[in-house]
C-alpha cells in the first residue's frame, strides 16, 4: 500500500496546526522521516506490531520563525493564560499570608467569592487535583500546624488549603496502607541494591558498549 502525506512537522501536525491526515500512529515513523534528506528513501523499518514500511521524502520545508500575523491568535491566548495563572497565584499568596497572619479563611473567602470545601483526611503523599488537593500543597501542609494555610497549583487554577486538624497514624486500622508502603519500601531497597551492585561491577570491570551490535540484536523499537 502506497500513500502520500502532505506537509507535516516533527510532532505530526500539518501547516494549520492540526494532526496531518493519513499519518500512521507511530513516533518511530516520524523520526524515520525526519532523519532523511530531500529525495532520500529510508530502509525497510519495522514497527513493534510487526508492520513494515519505507519512507521517501519528496520535499523539505526549511524551519522558520512564523510571522506574527500567522500566530497572533495563539500568542494572545497563550499570554492571557499565563497572565491569568500569574495573577491567580499572586492573589492566592496574598490570601495565604493574611490567613497565616491571623485572618479567618471564611471572611476572606466571602470577600473574594471563593468556594470553601472540607476535604477528607489525606496522607502526605496524596495528590487529588479533582478535589483541589494538589500534591505540592499537601506536602506543605504536613510541615505546618492547624490553622496554617498554603496554596498549590491546579490544572485550572490555584487552590488554597488550610490545615484543620492532624490525626496520628494508626497502622492497625490501615492494613492496606501498611502493605502498600511495605511493598514500596521493598522495591526501593531492591533498586538501591541493584544500583550499588551495578556501580561496583563498573568499577571492577571495563565496559564498552557497541551500539551497532545492540541495534542488530534488538531491531524492534516500541512506538
Amino acid at each position: 500500500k502506497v500513500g502520500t502525506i502532505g506537509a507535516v512537522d516533527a510532532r505530526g501536525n500539518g501547516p494549520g496546526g492540526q494532526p496531518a491526515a493519513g499519518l500512521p500512529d507511530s513516533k518511530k515513523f516520524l523520526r524515520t522521516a525526519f532523519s532523511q534528506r530531500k529525495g532520500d528513501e529510508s530502509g525497510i523499518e519495522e514497527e513493534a506490531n510487526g508492520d513494515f514500511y519505507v519512507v521517501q521524502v519528496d520535499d523539505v520545508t526549511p524551519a522558520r520563525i512564523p510571522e506574527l500575523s500567522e500566530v497572533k491568535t495563539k500568542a494572545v491566548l497563550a499570554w492571557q493564560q499565563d497572565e491569568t495563572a500569574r495573577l491567580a497565584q499572586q492573589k492566592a499568596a496574598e490570601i495565604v499570608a493574611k490567613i497565616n497572619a491571623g485572618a479567618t479563611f471564611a471572611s476572606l473567602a466571602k470577600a473574594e467569592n471563593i468556594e470553601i470545601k472540607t476535604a477528607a483526611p489525606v496522607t502526605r503523599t496524596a495528590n487529588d487535583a479533582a478535589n483541589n488537593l494538589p500534591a505540592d500543597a499537601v506536602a506543605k501542609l504536613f510541615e505546618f500546624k492547624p490553622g496554617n494555610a498554603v496554596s498549590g497549583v491546579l490544572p485550572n487554577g490555584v487552590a488554597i488549603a488550610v490545615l484543620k486538624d492532624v490525626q496520628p497514624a494508626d497502622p492497625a486500622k490501615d492494613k492496606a496502607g501498611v502493605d502498600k508502603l511495605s511493598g514500596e519500601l521493598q522495591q526501593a531497597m531492591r533498586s538501591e541494591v541493584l544500583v550499588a551492585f551495578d556501580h561496583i561491577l563498573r568499577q571492577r570491570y571495563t565496559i564498552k558498549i557497541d551500539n551497532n551490535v545492540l541495534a542488530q540484536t534488538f531491531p524492534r523499537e516500541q512506538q
Side-chain angles (χ1 to χ4, degrees):
K1 180 180 179 181
V2 179
T4 301
I5 300 169
V8 60
D9 64 17
R11 293 175 295 181
N13 296 326
Q18 300 299 317
L23 186 69
D25 184 18
S26 166
K27 294 180 180 179
K28 182 181 178 183
F29 183 89
L30 279 174
R31 288 198 298 270
T32 302
F34 275 82
S35 67
Q36 311 297 314
R37 293 174 297 183
K38 181 178 179 179
D40 282 354
E41 184 179 283
S42 74
I44 298 176
E45 301 290 338
E46 182 181 6
E47 288 289 348
N49 62 3
D51 289 342
F52 293 89
Y53 64 86
V54 174
V55 181
Q56 177 177 303
V57 177
D58 294 331
D59 198 7
V60 175
T61 303
R64 67 178 180 87
I65 298 176
E67 298 293 334
L68 179 59
S69 59
E70 299 177 71
V71 296
K72 182 178 180 180
T73 301
K74 291 182 178 180
V76 170
L77 178 61
W79 176 83
Q80 290 175 334
Q81 291 174 338
D82 288 345
E83 188 67 6
T84 299
R86 184 186 69 80
L87 292 174
Q89 293 178 42
Q90 179 179 308
K91 173 59 70 174
E94 294 173 358
I95 295 174
V96 167
K98 291 179 180 178
I99 295 174
N100 291 337
T104 64
F105 193 14
S107 61
L108 293 173
K110 183 177 181 180
E112 298 291 345
N113 194 28
I114 298 174
E115 181 183 7
I116 295 180
K117 294 182 179 180
T118 301
V122 297
T123 62
R124 67 176 65 241
T125 58
N127 183 18
D128 190 359
N131 289 314
N132 296 336
L133 286 173
D136 57 341
V138 173
K140 294 175 185 176
L141 284 175
F142 276 81
E143 301 174 3
F144 296 148
K145 297 178 181 179
N148 287 145
V150 298
S151 63
V153 178
L154 295 166
N156 60 343
V158 182
I160 297 172
V162 179
L163 182 59
K164 182 178 180 181
D165 189 24
V166 176
Q167 299 180 9
D170 186 355
K173 295 182 179 180
D174 188 14
K175 185 179 183 304
V178 172
D179 291 343
K180 180 182 177 182
L181 179 59
S182 176
E184 292 173 350
L185 290 175
Q186 288 181 27
Q187 183 60 42
M189 292 174 66
R190 292 191 190 101
S191 298
E192 289 184 7
V193 171
L194 289 174
V195 169
F197 184 55
D198 176 80
H199 181 67
I200 292 174
L201 291 177
R202 288 179 182 274
Q203 286 184 323
R204 182 175 300 176
Y205 304 104
T206 300
I207 298 176
K208 181 180 179 181
I209 299 175
D210 191 327
N211 290 317
N212 290 327
V213 173
L214 284 177
Q216 295 171 10
T217 307
F218 305 102
R220 294 170 62 130
E221 182 177 344
Q222 295 296 326
Q223 292 186 358

